[in-house]
Amino acid sequence: MNRRDALSRVALILGGTVAGAHIFLEGCKPADRKTTDTFSADDIAYLDEIAETIIPATDTPGAKAAAVGTFMTVMVTDCYAQEEQEVFKQGMNLLKEASNKKFGKSFMDLSAEQRTELLTETDREAKDYMSAKKAEEPKHYFRMMKELTLLGYFTSQPGAEKSLRYMLVPGKYEGCVPYKKGDRAWAL
Amino acid sequence: MPQDSPQVNINGTSDSNTYDAIVVGSGVSGGWAAKELSEKGLKVLMLERGRNVEHIKDYVNANKAPWEFPHRGGRTQEMIQQYPVLKRDYPLNETNLDFWVKDSESPYTEIKRFDWFRGYHVGGRSLTWGRQSYRFSDLDFEANAKDGYGVDWPIRYKDMSPWYDYVERFAGISGSKEGLPQLPDGQFLPPMDMTCVEKDVAARIKEKYKGARTMIIGRTANITVPFESQGRASCQFRNKCWLGCPYGAYFSTQSCTLPAATKTGNLTLRPWSIVTKVLYDKDTKKATGVEVLDAETMKTYEYKAKIVFLNASALNSTWILFNSATDIWPDGLGSSSGELGHNVMDHHLGVGASGMVDGYEDQYTFGRRANGIYIPRYQNINGDKRDYLRGFGYQGGGSRQGWSRSAEEVALGVALKETLSEPGSWTMNIGGFGEVLPYHENRIFLDKNTYSDKLEQFNDPVTGKDLGMRPVPDKNGKQRLDKWGLPVLAFDVEWKENEKKMRRDMLNDAKEMLEAAGVKNINGRDGDGTMGRGIHEMGTARMGKDPKTSVLNKWNQVWDAPNVFITDGACMTSAACVNPSLTYMALTARAADHAVEELKKGNL
């Protein structure tokens, strides 16, 4: 997500008609779009568990409590090009197959440790794929899931207010304030 | 902060359609024209082609938290298809879509790619502007005369200095006094803070370049002390300016000039009013008013006035001139110079560098600063000679990374969550804003070609980027018209060698300066910047000393119709490399003062 980071930074400082705390600049490639395919409640529950494995509940809420599964389905349906939607949905099946193959169990029946083990492997696979793929090829499905999880979580109310620090109205600006390890980052 | 509402003349059926002055457009410069003229006692009609946007009440997203946007501010496929121009850069987003033109309603023709990002509503782009506010200097006002590009400005810094003072005091510009001849100081409110890393980088640049290059805090139209007399609170450091500010803390028509104009009781604001032409009387050689097409009812009205200010945004003010007095001048009012529509300028950008900064791990920031740093122009001054003309400045900032940074060393789980819940490393980023020369060949004109109903894919010839669909030329087809049946502009505008050479330096100097400042892992970038991306459209009705080579005189009066004033970006004779809006404000206040003096003398 370096591009988004770079764009956000540019957006904060450009002197053109730019301003603001828009946090998600990266669009999706234009293409013909089908919105007839929808996600089921089971799909959302499944995506919630994937997201929860990426960002688990600790002393602060995890991705499931932030409804990241639902968020992923909204983003994929509304923002993803058709080709990307297909990659994402195929990925949901591929992950189910990988779970059966590795543990002989459906993903939903895995323990938290097993889910972490499986998704850590998948993350490594995604990383290798991403560094080898051509620019115009779609992302690896797990990179999509991970990016959507981070975006969905850290811009959610629980994520922004509990894992980060969110202030609607800071009221002042200070360029240098002391920071100690463990202090949470500011939400946008 | 309740404000009196202006008298909003919605249906155009007032008893009298006659005013002392008509102001066309309600953005940065139109708001100033309305304020100045109405405060001087004139009955003013301000016409705005789009909807009304009421201060605070209509900033519908201003107080939303990130999670209240279903796509977290992003763009949907539907938006991408509906906005073939806006999608080319950051403006297409979920948070303030209502402040941008619907591309499908207002098409234009690109002989060459031109990204035109517009705002058709009361307040115009004063609601969404970047707010960076810098004075031109004599380096800029003398540039054309010295190197021969364009014509000489008919004014110098001494003509503008008191007007910069005047508009800065009312608009409210925060900044630091630096004593730089190429970037004159102004009437500043207290400056915003730099971050630790910015202070460090600024000190290292000063040392390395022995004061020839400086990095300062941005000068921005966000007030850092309350303006109680205007009902404006000081900046709350939310950095959500472009949603509209409920505190009135940045300059916009709504927060600043419209309330002042309204308070006089002399202003009538009429939204949904597309000015189709200036009405011209060939016997008196003056304008008598304007013709308006009501954008909702499609009815046509005439409004009469002694003076007309065109502030419809640079290219649209010229569009109005193209359509005016065509019985006398087939190419429109002001075309006798041969320069109407020519010399389109913008600032070229998208080139710069960024990198990581070691240390300062025990330092952070508080609040969201709606501002960055500025590195004023240093090329082709003080002996720093380059192989191109004029120069560029940089804008940027140094901050700690947030959760969206790459954290590939941690795959997932508790460690990933904990890592991203804390700020990352410090980064430093700068991006150039370069001057574009005034080239006669860079022009806009009314598109009178004909097209079939078929559409073809339009890709950027250089980058291959998808630019949306466009109609196919067909000599048996129809002229391209907008939603209201009006002719559209065609753009034939490009960068030339001077800009390309300058961009090479914008990239190399950025990397070199960051390296000198101790920044690590420096990445240069040279984006697919194109004309229009600066959203600083300038030129097409330039000021000058000679009616044969310019459209406007030194008081922004159309040579061929002296009671018509143009004080938006159209009037610019050169572009400089600094953000232009402050100069439009000062030129507008100056021209309005002159207009009223001339009216009193009976000269208009």
Side-chain angles (χ1 to χ4, degrees):
Chain A
M1 297 200 286
N2 289 330
R3 179 179 142 78
R4 178 163 66 236
D5 219 347
L7 279 169
S8 305
R9 205 157 44 217
V10 168
L12 294 175
I13 51 87
L14 271 181
T17 307
V18 192
H22 54 310
I23 46 171
F24 184 52
L25 287 146
E26 192 170 298
C28 316
K29 292 179 203 76
D32 295 330
R33 176 165 166 262
K34 271 191 213 156
T35 53
T36 48
D37 305 321
T38 51
F39 292 90
S40 68
D42 282 352
D43 289 337
I44 291 171
Y46 173 44
L47 291 170
D48 264 341
E49 294 305 328
I50 293 170
E52 184 72 11
T53 311
I54 297 168
I55 299 287
T58 51
D59 56 339
T60 62
K64 198 160 124 183
V68 168
T70 302
F71 173 74
M72 281 201 256
T73 63
V74 170
M75 292 299 288
V76 171
T77 304
D78 294 350
C79 297
Y80 275 28
Q82 195 185 341
E83 185 188 18
E84 296 167 314
Q85 295 197 16
E86 281 163 14
V87 169
F88 186 90
K89 286 180 180 172
Q90 279 167 9
M92 289 171 68
N93 289 330
L94 287 172
L95 204 52
K96 284 178 185 168
E97 286 165 22
S99 171
N100 283 322
K101 194 172 161 197
K102 188 173 173 67
F103 297 109
K105 280 201 270 187
S106 86
F107 185 88
M108 297 302 276
D109 293 331
L110 299 185
S111 68
E113 291 72 22
Q114 288 169 322
R115 286 174 184 171
T116 300
E117 190 184 335
L118 177 64
L119 292 191
T120 303
E121 278 172 23
T122 314
D123 185 69
R124 203 172 300 128
E125 176 195 313
K127 200 170 155 183
D128 293 343
Y129 173 87
M130 291 298 289
S131 56
K133 83 171 187 72
K134 294 192 188 105
E136 65 273 17
E137 288 173 338
K139 289 174 184 170
H140 190 278
Y141 72 87
F142 190 71
R143 183 59 61 93
M144 294 175 175
M145 290 173 180
K146 192 169 168 183
E147 287 184 359
L148 287 174
T149 299
L150 298 182
L151 173 67
Y153 179 71
F154 285 111
T155 60
S156 73
Q157 188 163 11
E161 290 187 338
K162 305 282 201 244
S163 278
L164 305 174
R165 286 182 282 174
Y166 176 71
M167 264 188 302
L168 180 63
V169 186
K172 63 174 181 177
Y173 179 77
E174 289 174 39
C176 303
V177 296
Y179 174 84
K180 62 176 193 308
K181 179 77 184 152
D183 289 349
R184 288 167 290 135
W186 298 114
L188 282 170
Chain B
M1 288 162 284
Q3 303 283 0
D4 297 333
S5 291
Q7 181 194 345
V8 178
N9 176 347
I10 298 293
N11 54 20
T13 54
S14 85
D15 295 338
S16 164
N17 281 354
T18 301
Y19 295 83
D20 294 324
I22 291 170
V23 175
V24 181
S26 63
V28 167
S29 65
W32 269 102
K35 170 187 176 298
E36 295 302 302
L37 296 171
S38 63
E39 286 182 342
K40 291 173 191 294
L42 273 57
K43 293 288 178 191
V44 177
L45 173 66
M46 181 157 69
L47 298 165
E48 163 53 50
R49 64 170 296 152
R51 70 186 173 108
N52 194 12
V53 174
E54 281 188 48
H55 188 40
I56 303 176
K57 173 178 154 293
D58 289 336
Y59 304 153
V60 293
N61 287 337
N63 287 318
K64 283 189 182 166
W67 52 87
E68 292 178 77
F69 297 99
H71 309 96
R72 304 295 201 256
R75 48 182 65 178
T76 64
Q77 288 292 316
E78 195 181 345
M79 286 161 63
I80 288 168
Q81 283 182 357
Q82 287 175 353
Y83 292 86
V85 177
L86 220 52
K87 76 173 183 187
R88 298 176 191 178
D89 207 352
Y90 65 86
L92 183 62
N93 81 100
E94 184 182 34
T95 67
N96 72 349
L97 197 56
D98 286 352
F99 289 163
W100 301 97
V101 159
K102 289 189 176 67
D103 292 331
S104 53
E105 294 180 352
S106 301
Y108 59 93
T109 299
E110 296 169 89
I111 311 293
K112 300 190 181 85
R113 177 178 173 185
F114 191 100
D115 298 345
W116 195 19
F117 302 137
R118 299 158 286 174
Y120 291 168
H121 47 259
V122 170
R125 292 180 293 188
S126 80
L127 287 171
T128 50
W129 70 308
R131 308 171 311 285
Q132 293 288 298
S133 299
Y134 301 99
R135 293 184 176 202
F136 278 39
S137 70
D138 272 334
L139 180 69
D140 305 309
F141 289 115
E142 292 173 358
N144 287 6
K146 282 188 172 161
D147 62 37
Y149 278 86
V151 293
D152 190 13
W153 279 89
I155 54 173
R156 288 294 182 263
Y157 182 68
K158 66 175 167 41
D159 301 305
M160 289 290 284
S161 174
W163 294 104
Y164 279 128
D165 287 344
Y166 177 75
V167 296
E168 283 166 350
R169 285 195 183 104
F170 196 78
I173 311 295
S174 78
S176 57
K177 295 207 177 202
E178 303 287 344
L180 300 168
Q182 77 274 35
L183 194 77
D185 291 332
Q187 303 298 323
F188 297 138
L189 304 173
M192 294 182 186
D193 247 4
M194 283 192 185
T195 63
C196 300
V197 160
E198 289 165 351
K199 284 177 190 167
D200 186 348
V201 169
R204 292 192 197 212
I205 286 174
K206 191 175 179 186
E207 190 190 343
K208 160 86 178 177
Y209 299 99
K210 302 183 171 51
R213 301 186 193 181
T214 50
M215 188 174 114
I216 65 176
I217 189 69
R219 295 171 176 173
T220 181
N222 292 69
I223 56 176
T224 49
V225 294
F227 275 18
E228 280 165 29
S229 63
Q230 293 182 28
R232 298 169 61 193
S234 61
C235 183
Q236 301 298 301
F237 298 98
R238 295 159 19 104
N239 197 24
K240 294 182 189 292
C241 310
W242 83 342
L243 306 179
C245 183
Y247 302 89
Y250 73 90
F251 170 91
S252 67
T253 295
Q254 277 84 348
S255 72
C256 191
T257 49
L258 184 57
T262 301
K263 201 159 70 181
T264 65
N266 290 328
L267 178 73
T268 302
L269 165 64
R270 190 183 194 282
W272 298 119
S273 303
I274 302 172
V275 171
T276 49
K277 63 178 70 162
V278 172
L279 301 169
Y280 179 79
D281 180 342
K282 63 177 185 290
D283 297 326
T284 61
K285 296 189 166 55
K286 284 194 285 195
T288 57
V290 299
E291 182 187 274
V292 165
L293 174 67
D294 188 300
E296 290 191 304
T297 66
M298 295 300 286
K299 285 185 185 157
T300 299
Y301 301 91
E302 286 189 358
Y303 290 94
K304 300 296 174 86
K306 294 171 197 151
I307 55 172
V308 175
F309 267 66
L310 294 184
N311 301 92
S313 81
L315 308 180
N316 280 323
S317 286
T318 291
W319 179 92
I320 293 169
L321 292 183
F322 282 149
N323 287 308
S324 304
T326 49
D327 52 335
I328 322 255
W329 300 282
D331 294 325
L333 182 61
S335 64
S336 64
S337 62
E339 295 296 334
L340 184 67
H342 292 266
N343 313 294
V344 176
M345 297 170 286
D346 183 27
H347 290 130
H348 62 95
L349 40 72
V351 186
S354 59
M356 313 292 287
V357 178
D358 287 342
Y360 292 103
E361 279 144 15
D362 57 350
Q363 296 293 324
Y364 202 22
T365 49
F366 183 93
R368 297 184 293 270
R369 188 184 63 189
N371 192 13
I373 57 85
Y374 191 62
I375 299 174
R377 176 178 156 185
Y378 52 83
Q379 318 80 28
N380 291 319
I381 54 174
N382 301 323
D384 188 348
K385 185 83 184 80
R386 306 293 173 112
D387 65 348
Y388 48 86
L389 299 170
R390 322 240 178 147
F392 57 89
Y394 289 105
Q395 300 184 19
S399 58
R400 285 190 86 157
Q401 294 174 307
W403 59 266
S404 66
R405 68 186 180 272
S406 170
E408 294 201 335
E409 71 278 10
V410 202
L412 47 85
V414 175
L416 179 69
K417 185 183 180 189
E418 284 178 357
T419 300
L420 295 182
S421 296
E422 293 178 12
S425 302
W426 285 89
T427 60
M428 186 72 211
N429 170 64
I430 56 174
F433 279 62
E435 178 163 0
V436 173
L437 293 175
Y439 302 105
H440 178 80
E441 314 84 85
N442 274 348
R443 65 171 191 136
I444 55 167
F445 52 95
L446 286 183
D447 187 1
K448 292 176 179 161
N449 292 318
T450 54
Y451 299 88
S452 75
D453 294 334
K454 273 190 289 193
L455 296 174
E456 64 179 6
Q457 177 65 34
F458 178 33
N459 290 333
D460 187 309
V462 180
T463 63
K465 188 167 177 168
D466 166 22
L467 303 179
M469 307 296 281
R470 65 175 177 187
V472 180
D474 176 357
K475 64 180 182 340
N476 299 318
K478 284 184 291 215
Q479 191 182 346
R480 205 172 180 189
L481 302 172
D482 70 10
K483 182 189 170 185
W484 298 273
L486 299 167
V488 305
L489 289 176
F491 290 69
D492 188 355
V493 181
E494 64 180 5
W495 296 333
K496 297 185 190 292
E497 282 311 303
N498 201 66
E499 289 73 38
K500 289 174 187 165
K501 281 184 185 171
M502 192 187 297
R503 291 175 76 76
R504 180 205 58 206
D505 272 15
M506 284 159 76
L507 176 63
N508 292 337
D509 282 20
K511 292 197 281 192
E512 179 199 296
M513 258 189 291
L514 291 188
E515 196 168 337
V519 177
K520 306 276 165 54
N521 303 325
I522 296 165
N523 281 311
R525 64 174 180 279
D526 187 356
D528 64 338
T530 15
M531 283 292 268
R533 287 286 270 286
I535 325 185
H536 293 163
E537 309 96 75
M538 285 175 274
T540 67
R542 70 185 176 195
M543 297 167 72
K545 295 172 172 170
D546 182 349
K548 293 195 189 70
T549 57
S550 60
V551 178
L552 308 174
N553 71 9
K554 68 174 179 177
W555 299 105
N556 297 74
Q557 295 166 279
V558 177
W559 289 109
D560 292 331
N563 64 337
V564 178
F565 295 76
I566 304 183
T567 64
D568 60 19
C571 76
M572 301 297 277
T573 312
S574 74
C577 67
V578 298
N579 305 56
S581 296
L582 183 72
T583 297
Y584 308 160
M585 296 188 207
L587 283 168
T588 303
R590 179 177 174 272
D593 184 67
H594 181 73
V596 173
E597 290 303 311
E598 289 292 286
L599 273 177
K600 281 184 195 156
K601 288 181 197 158
N603 292 342
L604 290 179

